[in-house]
Amino acid sequence: MPAHILVAGGGIGGLATALALSRNRHRADVFEQATVFGEIGAGVQLGPNVTRRLQQLDLGTGLAAIAACPDALVVHSAGNGAELARLPLGSAMQQRYGAPYFCVHRADLHGLLLEAVRARGTGALVTATHIEQIETSDDLVCVSSTDARAWEGEALVGADGLWSMARQQLASTSATEPPRVTGHTAWRALIEQSALPMALRRTRVDVWLGPQLHAVAYPVRGGDWLNVVVIAESAPAGDARDWDQASSIAALKQAMGRSCASLQALLDAMPGWRAWSLSDRAPVASAADMAHERVALVGDAAHPMVPYLAQGAGMAIEDALALAEALGNGSAAEVPAAFSRYADARWARNARVQARARRNGEIFHATGAVRLGRDMAMRMLGAKLLDQPWLYGG
């Protein structure tokens, strides 16, 4: 008999998990604390390792319809705007890795997954549910909410993000430790490209590297919109749990200081800014950080990471398919062994991505001699430094 699995969290990771499980006829009930299923934020970069998984979920056509396919990744100096390195994307990525490199709006990707989960119809979608208690036994998991409702299933997948409640069910020593506040703040803005002068429009991914900061701009929504993100080493403001704080260009400029004219012009053209504080956890130390008996974690609940490798959503989607593959057509009795196989298969890759993301942050934000060495290496090696075969081909 297919298993009945409770999925805590209705974001990208939770919906991808529910969809992947439903393909093997498992019932996956998804519980979201918001009153409606939706996503905040703006852009997401999806490398070939991620688009390949979405194609496996039969979402390739729908994904191509909502995505932009940038033709290159170009790295600049934030100080003078000079080009440091370039990596061809577009057809080059498709030929090398067998899948495209896409940029999407987070809400569009979430909507694509939600539509697919609803079309499958194998489980319930429950909103306005803030889970406050989880109880497990040898063969069941029960979750209860703050408004005294309760649900029972044969397993629980925690897709409930950085401040995960499900994480506390793990046996690892880090299960109850709070996330690490990095001291980095991110600002994001989104604008329709037709509202920009031609010189500021983008068909590629542009990155600017500066002392203790970097910026990135890339097209989304079929190329019709432009997503801009700036991350600076700046004292966090507001609630660390709030991913959608109101901000301003003045606050952004105060944090980042002076930059080249082309970048400043792009930032000034944005109609408004939202901000959030970046937090993460230490890289996953073992399989025990991802699963324990009838509880497994996916995405940020297991391995939150800084966005310097653009793989947060990607690792959640990889997790979802790996978990469904580990369970296969297995019954409820096979869940603990399947979750153990899943964690064994995933923890080391996730740890590597977490560690590389942290390292990239140090490189992107380097100062002094390290910055000069970084720029020289990029000018000499270019695409060889920017390509990630271990990641995109994995």
Side-chain angles (χ1 to χ4, degrees):
M1 294 289 293
H4 180 193
I5 299 173
L6 311 179
V7 180
I12 288 171
L15 291 178
T17 299
L19 181 59
L21 288 169
S22 72
R23 292 166 61 83
N24 289 326
R25 298 187 303 112
H26 299 296
R27 174 179 172 180
D29 295 337
V30 182
F31 300 89
E32 169 57 41
Q33 65 178 357
T35 55
V36 295
F37 282 93
E39 268 285 4
I40 61 173
V44 179
Q45 296 184 63
L46 302 176
N49 58 305
V50 189
T51 56
R52 186 181 307 117
R53 266 71 173 192
L54 292 170
Q55 289 170 348
Q56 291 170 12
L57 292 174
D58 296 329
L59 297 178
T61 300
L63 180 63
I66 63 171
C69 186
D71 49 37
L73 167 64
V74 183
V75 181
H76 313 262
S77 164
N80 59 22
E83 182 175 321
L84 300 176
R86 179 183 293 255
L87 173 67
L89 300 177
S91 60
M93 277 282 168
Q94 178 71 47
Q95 292 171 7
R96 183 163 189 179
Y97 296 109
Y101 191 110
F102 280 158
C103 298
V104 300
H105 191 290
R106 181 177 291 271
D108 294 343
L109 175 59
H110 184 271
L112 181 69
L113 289 165
L114 181 60
E115 181 182 1
V117 170
R118 283 176 170 157
R120 287 276 175 181
T122 59
L125 294 169
V126 185
T127 58
T129 304
H130 190 280
I131 294 173
E132 69 168 356
Q133 189 171 355
I134 301 169
E135 297 181 5
T136 63
S137 66
D138 289 343
D139 54 3
L140 291 174
V141 176
C142 181
V143 301
S144 56
S145 63
T146 52
D147 57 357
R149 292 178 293 165
W151 298 265
E152 192 174 77
E154 292 153 341
L156 172 68
V157 176
D160 47 344
L162 177 67
W163 305 92
S164 171
M165 177 72 178
R167 184 183 179 88
Q168 299 176 27
Q169 299 298 310
L170 300 187
S172 67
T173 56
S174 66
T176 58
E177 294 177 0
R180 177 189 74 126
V181 178
T182 65
H184 296 195
T185 299
W187 285 263
R188 69 172 182 271
L190 192 69
I191 190 171
E192 198 164 4
Q193 297 231 54
S194 61
L196 292 170
M198 289 299 298
L200 296 181
R201 299 179 190 181
R202 295 287 189 280
T203 61
R204 64 193 190 191
V205 180
D206 280 299
V207 180
W208 294 265
L209 305 182
Q212 298 182 311
L213 69 94
H214 83 284
V216 59
Y218 53 83
V220 295
R221 293 186 161 166
D224 293 338
W225 289 73
L226 185 68
N227 180 64
V228 181
V229 177
V230 180
I231 301 178
E233 296 179 24
S234 170
D239 185 352
R241 298 185 183 225
D242 185 357
W243 290 59
D244 196 29
Q245 302 171 30
S247 191
S248 65
I249 186 64
L252 172 56
K253 288 185 175 181
Q254 182 178 3
M256 69 180 296
R258 294 184 60 83
S259 61
C260 63
S262 59
L263 177 56
Q264 284 294 336
L266 180 62
L267 302 183
D268 288 334
M270 295 298 107
W273 292 92
R274 312 296 293 183
W276 75 100
S277 301
L278 299 184
S279 298
D280 70 354
R281 293 185 184 274
V284 178
S286 71
D289 284 340
M290 293 196 62
H292 177 64
E293 296 181 350
R294 291 186 175 272
V295 178
L297 305 181
V298 300
D300 284 353
H303 44 74
M305 59 189 71
V306 287
Y308 301 127
L309 197 55
Q311 283 288 327
M315 289 301 104
I317 292 168
E318 283 195 11
D319 286 346
L321 273 85
L323 187 145
E325 181 180 356
L327 183 56
N329 295 316
S331 66
E334 299 173 71
V335 164
F339 280 7
S340 179
R341 289 194 299 272
Y342 156 72
D344 286 340
R346 289 296 302 163
W347 78 266
R349 178 167 170 85
N350 284 320
R352 185 178 183 185
V353 173
Q354 285 178 287
R356 185 64 67 90
R358 281 189 174 184
R359 177 173 172 267
N360 276 5
E362 296 172 358
I363 294 171
F364 288 1
H365 293 192
T367 60
V370 176
R371 178 179 64 85
L372 295 175
R374 176 203 67 199
D375 292 355
M376 183 180 298
M378 284 197 167
R379 289 189 181 99
M380 293 177 61
L381 298 176
K384 290 183 179 179
L385 281 182
L386 298 178
D387 201 2
Q388 307 288 336
W390 67 272
L391 177 62
Y392 298 146

